[in-house]
Amino acid sequence: MHPIRRTTGSTTRPNLSTLSPHPCFMTDSSNETWTVTMVIPEESSLAAAGETHRIEVAEDETILAAGRSAGVWLPADCQQGWCTACAARLRNGEVVHPHARRYYEEDREAGYVLLCTAKPRADTTLVIDQYDDFLEFRAANDKPPGNSKLNS
Ligand code: FES
């Protein structure tokens, strides 16, 4: 049996229908979905070399997560936009990296993409498994981890 708690006096309850939700609880109601085509080069060491996969990716979802959910094995390690293991190259379309820990303007201009943090903003085509090229690109631009990984 639960004790009965009595209160005295009156309380004024807020009219909940007139309150705005706290920003922490607000969600983006326009969660658009984009088609992402992933081309895995013939020369890739991945088991899926030579294959092309087309997946649907919501705008608040990373391409890595969506690909893996769809059963496409994609290389990755840190999953924070730091290590570059998931590097890919943009063939067309648009992606953003709002939470990448290390992603430079030069990377974006050269069309490199980190799948673990990349979110589409248009129908997009990517070439997967570009880690080696990306390391060399970073090294040539004197950005990490290029030189440290290339020289190890
Ligand atoms: S898995 Fe490390 S940068 Fe994407």
Side-chain angles (χ1 to χ4, degrees):
M1 186 141 181
H2 298 287
I4 298 173
R5 181 179 295 164
R6 292 180 189 274
T7 58
T8 56
S10 65
T11 57
T12 304
R13 292 181 177 220
N15 179 354
L16 297 179
S17 66
T18 63
L19 296 176
S20 298
H22 187 276
C24 291
F25 300 108
M26 293 177 77
T27 57
D28 185 356
S29 59
S30 63
N31 196 10
E32 214 162 328
T33 297
W34 307 100
T35 300
V36 176
T37 303
M38 298 184 292
V39 178
I40 304 163
E42 293 279 352
E43 65 275 13
S44 169
S45 59
L46 299 177
E51 296 179 5
T52 295
H53 295 270
R54 191 163 286 123
I55 60 172
E56 297 300 310
V57 185
E59 69 179 28
D60 65 350
E61 188 176 27
T62 67
I63 295 170
L64 177 71
R68 287 186 169 180
S69 293
V72 183
W73 193 89
L74 298 166
D77 190 0
C78 73
Q79 300 192 33
Q80 299 178 32
W82 179 261
C83 72
T84 72
C86 63
R89 196 106 188 235
L90 189 70
R91 187 174 276 178
N92 59 57
E94 182 183 357
V95 302
V96 294
H97 295 80
H99 304 297
R101 292 186 60 205
R102 188 166 61 190
Y103 185 76
Y104 302 102
E105 183 60 22
E106 295 97 318
D107 301 339
R108 191 190 65 73
E109 288 171 358
Y112 284 104
V113 171
L114 297 175
L115 297 177
C116 66
T117 52
K119 298 176 178 181
R121 290 296 177 267
D123 290 342
T124 293
T125 301
L126 297 163
V127 181
I128 307 303
D129 195 19
Q130 299 298 296
Y131 175 69
D132 292 338
D133 287 351
F134 193 40
L135 276 187
E136 289 183 17
F137 174 81
R138 283 271 181 96
N141 285 280
D142 202 23
K143 295 278 194 280
N147 280 321
S148 64
K149 295 275 187 183
L150 286 174
N151 296 331
S152 61

